[in-house]
Structure formats: structure tokens, C-alpha cells
Amino acid sequence: MKFTKTLIKGKFIKRYKRFFSDVKLDKEIVTAHCPNTGSMKGLLKEGNEVFISKNDDPKRKLKYTLEIIKVKKNLVGVNTHFANKIAYHGLSNNLVKEVSNNDSIKPEVFFDKETRFDFLVEKNKQKIFVEVKNVTLFRNEKIAEFPDAVTTRGSKHLKTLIKAIKKGYKSYLLFLIQIQGVESFKIAADIDKEYYENYLLAKKAGVIFLAYRCKISSKEIKIEKKIKIINA
């Protein structure tokens, strides 16, 4: 996924009211939209280098959007609205080898009245659900983690992926790691024990878990390589 406009470099000041972030540019302080409803644990240190985009649409209240934060020399993509675009590009260009050479890819398909998964992929008459989880947490410089806060919605998705298997679908959960340079991934069991327990149940039931790291720059973000999941 390529950025349509050149990103602007600045320094992070603070995030507040969840959707607002103040950023210091060369001669001014601007308020940028923060397109990430998560906790963003470990990313919000004052003085961190950031990249923001600018949109001159007169209908927009905030002209700037926070896109990338640099933490511990690692670039981190924080715009969760891009996660599915990055995943779609990866699925369409065979960058996710386990789900490659597909016959069709449909975004945001309902499984039942309550749950919609990110993608329904068809390959050789097999229907495959792919749910995407955006990952930005890394407490260890080389290990990405999910979740960064308790996620009841995430647990619900795991349980529903199990139901999908029982109805004949193949189920994948793709951890899309928007963190440059990490080498492995794990579930943050200390942050959300219930999610970890549901992860183990889903794995036993046949849900296939994948962790793919992104290549990140101020020009584009795209899937780069598969990394190892180190949970039991």
C-alpha cells in the first residue's frame, strides 16, 4: 500500500481524547487525527519521531493524520484503517504464501448476523475466512505482541472462527505486524489471559495462525515476510 502523498516528519508531543495527537513540526504545533482506537502501549513517548499525512479537503476538521511512529529505531504503522488494505494487497499479490493463488477475495463478509470477517477467500472450491489483527506492541525489541489491551471483540472472533470450521470453512487469523525489524511474535497472555486461552482453544480446533511482518517506509507499507509465533 503506497501513500498517495509525501509524509511530513515531526516530533510527537501527546495523544488525548483518543483521536487527537499533537505533533511538533519545524515552526508550529499541529493537531493530527489519531486513526487508532487501541491503547498504543509503548508508542506514545514525547519526542518520538513521527510521520503525518496532510489532506486539504475543506470538509475535514483535522487536516493531518498520524501514520507512523518511530520507537527504539523501529518504524511502526499506527493507522489501523490501512491494515485491511495492506492485507488485501498481500493476498492479491501472493505475499501470504499459505493463502496464495486464490480464485477470489471478498472483503468484509458476514459469517452470521453478529460477526463479519475481514476476507472470504475462495481457492479450488474451498471457502476460507481470513481475519486480520493489526499489531503495534513490542515490549521486547525483537518480539511483537498482541493484544495491547483486553479485547473481548478479539476473543469473540476466535470463537466464531471455530464455528466457521465446524461449518466447513477453513479459518485463518493473520497477525499483521506493522513493526519494522521484529523477528518473532507472541500472544500477550499477561495483558489478556482470556484471549490467550481462546487462542489455544482455536489453535486446537484447527484455526491457522499466521504472523507476517510489514516493510515500512514513508512511501509505502506492505507485507514483507513471515515470522515465527513463539507461544506454546
Side-chain angles (χ1 to χ4, degrees):
M1 185 216 71
K2 295 183 182 294
F3 290 105
T4 55
K5 295 182 179 179
T6 302
L7 299 188
I8 304 163
K9 188 185 293 188
K11 294 289 184 182
F12 180 80
I13 298 175
K14 65 179 179 178
R15 177 202 194 190
Y16 53 100
K17 295 181 181 178
R18 186 177 285 188
F19 297 108
F20 296 84
S21 54
D22 285 348
V23 175
K24 187 176 190 299
L25 303 181
D26 286 338
K27 297 179 181 179
E28 63 177 331
I29 294 174
V30 300
T31 299
H33 172 60
C34 181
N36 189 318
T37 59
S39 75
M40 298 178 70
K41 185 178 177 71
L43 305 180
L44 304 177
K45 183 179 178 181
E46 185 176 354
N48 280 349
E49 186 175 283
V50 299
F51 291 88
I52 61 176
S53 59
K54 187 179 182 182
N55 188 323
D56 291 319
D57 184 345
K59 295 180 182 179
R60 281 190 54 145
K61 292 182 179 179
L62 297 176
K63 293 190 178 297
Y64 296 94
T65 301
L66 184 64
E67 306 287 2
I68 297 170
I69 300 179
K70 189 173 184 180
V71 184
K72 303 174 189 173
K73 299 181 181 179
N74 298 52
L75 294 179
V76 182
V78 297
N79 191 335
T80 55
H81 299 162
F82 286 154
N84 280 13
K85 291 182 181 180
I86 297 165
Y88 183 80
H89 175 270
L91 292 169
S92 301
N93 290 276
N94 300 319
L95 301 180
V96 182
K97 61 183 180 180
E98 292 83 358
V99 198
S100 59
N101 300 311
N102 301 299
D103 298 320
S104 68
I105 305 168
K106 297 177 183 177
E108 298 191 353
V109 175
F110 279 95
F111 169 68
D112 55 28
K113 291 181 180 179
E114 296 181 353
T115 305
R116 180 174 58 188
F117 290 122
D118 292 317
F119 298 100
L120 175 63
V121 174
E122 291 195 38
K123 180 179 178 180
N124 300 327
K125 297 183 179 179
Q126 170 72 63
K127 292 186 177 182
I128 305 163
F129 277 122
V130 181
E131 177 67 12
V132 179
K133 295 300 179 189
N134 193 59
V135 180
T136 61
L137 174 64
F138 64 117
R139 293 177 287 184
N140 177 301
E141 195 170 329
K142 296 297 181 181
I143 304 173
E145 297 181 74
F146 181 90
D148 64 1
V150 173
T151 172
T152 53
R153 185 168 179 265
S155 283
K156 177 191 168 187
H157 279 146
L158 291 177
K159 293 173 184 176
T160 312
L161 285 170
I162 294 172
K163 290 181 183 177
I165 288 175
K166 292 177 179 177
K167 290 201 173 184
Y169 294 88
K170 203 168 184 178
S171 293
Y172 282 87
L173 196 145
L174 171 63
F175 291 108
L176 185 75
I177 299 163
Q178 288 202 62
I179 309 167
Q180 199 176 48
V182 291
E183 295 175 354
S184 57
F185 168 83
K186 71 175 184 177
I187 304 296
D190 61 313
I191 292 177
D192 191 342
K193 184 180 178 183
E194 184 180 352
Y195 186 84
Y196 176 64
E197 290 172 349
N198 284 313
Y199 158 78
L200 294 177
L201 289 172
K203 187 177 178 183
K204 188 176 181 180
V207 177
I208 300 169
F209 291 89
L210 306 172
Y212 272 81
R213 186 184 78 196
C214 291
K215 182 178 182 180
I216 301 171
S217 73
S218 60
K219 293 184 178 180
E220 69 173 338
I221 301 176
K222 67 177 183 177
I223 288 176
E224 180 180 27
K225 65 177 289 189
K226 183 181 180 181
I227 63 174
K228 185 178 180 181
I229 298 175
I230 59 177
N231 288 93

